[in-house]
C-alpha cells in the first residue's frame, strides 16, 4: 500500500493489514507536514513485495533545521557578509546604519535579538545587518529626523 501522507499509526496499520513490517530510516523537516507524517517510503507504494518485507519510512519532524550563523560580525564588509549569509540560506532586510566605518558589519539582528557568530538560527530566517554609515553621528541624527525613521539608526 501507499502510506505516504498517513500518520505513522495509520501507515503501520495499513502495512500490518498487508502482512508487511516497517522501519523508520530518517526524519525530515517539512514546513506544513504533521509530526510523524510519512513523507517517503521505500519501496514505493506501487511496488510488489513479498509478505513480511520491512518497508523503509521517512517521517516528518517538527524540529526546524538550524544552522550556525557565519562569522560575519566585525569580520567582513557588507558585500561579503550579504553573500555569505544568502549562500547559507538566510534572507536579509534593509540594513540598519550606525556611526562607524562605511559598510563594515558591526552586528546581526533577528527581530529584536542581537545574534552572535555561531548562534544556531533557523534556516531561512530573516536577518538585518547593522553596518557603519561612514558618516559622523550628527549627520546620521539629522538625516534620521528628516526621514522620520529613527528606528533604523543605532548609535
Amino acid at each position: 500500500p501507499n502510506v505516504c501522507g498517513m500518520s505513522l499509526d495509520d501507515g503501520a496499520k495499513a502495512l500490518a493489514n498487508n502482512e508487511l513490517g516497517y522501519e523508520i530510516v530518517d526524519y525530515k523537516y517539512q514546513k506544513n507536514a504533521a509530526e510523524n507524517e510519512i513523507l517517503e517510503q521505500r519501496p514505493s507504494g506501487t511496488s510488489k513485495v513479498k509478505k513480511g518485507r520491512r518497508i523503509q519510512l521517512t517521517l516528518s519532524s517538527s524540529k526546524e533545521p538550524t544552522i550556525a550563523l557565519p562569522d560575519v560580525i566585525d569580520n567582513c564588509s557588507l558585500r561579503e557578509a550579504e553573500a555569505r549569509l544568502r549562500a547559507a540560506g538566510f534572507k536579509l532586510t534593509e540594513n540598519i546604519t550606525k556611526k562607524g566605518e562605511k559598510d563594515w558589519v558591526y552586528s546581526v539582528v533577528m527581530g529584536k535579538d542581537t545574534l552572535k557568530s555561531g548562534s544556531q538560527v533557523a534556516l531561512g530566517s530573516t536577518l538585518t545587518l547593522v553596518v557603519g554609515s561612514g558618516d559622523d553621528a550628527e549627520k546620521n541624527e539629522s538625516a534620521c529626523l528628516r526621514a522620520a525613521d529613527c528606528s533604523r539608526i543605532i548609535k
Side-chain angles (χ1 to χ4, degrees):
N2 182 6
V3 294
C4 290
M6 294 182 182
S7 70
L8 177 59
D9 290 340
D10 291 343
K13 288 176 189 171
L15 292 170
N17 289 340
N18 286 281
E19 297 180 46
L20 299 169
Y22 71 91
E23 63 181 331
I24 300 167
V25 294
D26 200 5
Y27 287 88
K28 290 184 180 176
Y29 175 76
Q30 195 170 72
K31 190 173 187 174
N32 295 319
E35 187 168 5
N36 289 327
E37 178 179 325
I38 300 171
L39 300 176
E40 299 171 11
Q41 72 180 71
R42 284 181 302 279
S44 70
T46 59
S47 300
K48 294 192 184 276
V49 297
K50 294 179 182 179
K51 289 181 181 178
R53 171 92 188 255
R54 293 175 67 96
I55 307 302
Q56 297 178 335
L57 303 177
T58 299
L59 303 180
S60 64
S61 170
S62 62
K63 186 177 177 185
E64 196 170 0
T66 61
I67 185 171
L69 182 68
D71 186 17
V72 298
I73 301 166
D74 258 347
N75 195 31
C76 62
S77 68
L78 172 62
R79 187 176 191 168
E80 181 182 352
E82 287 175 333
R84 289 175 64 188
L85 292 170
R86 285 191 176 115
F90 295 109
K91 298 173 190 138
L92 300 174
T93 63
E94 181 183 340
N95 299 328
I96 296 173
T97 57
K98 72 175 251 172
K99 181 181 174 185
E101 185 178 333
K102 183 159 179 63
D103 291 340
W104 186 253
V105 177
Y106 288 97
S107 61
V108 178
V109 178
M110 183 173 71
K112 295 182 180 184
D113 298 324
T114 300
L115 304 175
K116 295 179 181 178
S117 292
S119 297
Q120 290 295 313
V121 182
L123 196 59
S125 293
T126 302
L127 306 176
T128 303
L129 299 174
V130 178
V131 298
S133 64
D135 295 331
D136 63 31
E138 290 160 11
K139 287 181 184 175
N140 275 339
E141 287 172 7
S142 62
C144 169
L145 294 173
R146 284 194 306 273
D149 185 20
C150 296
S151 64
R152 306 305 292 174
I153 301 214
I154 297 177
K155 291 184 183 177

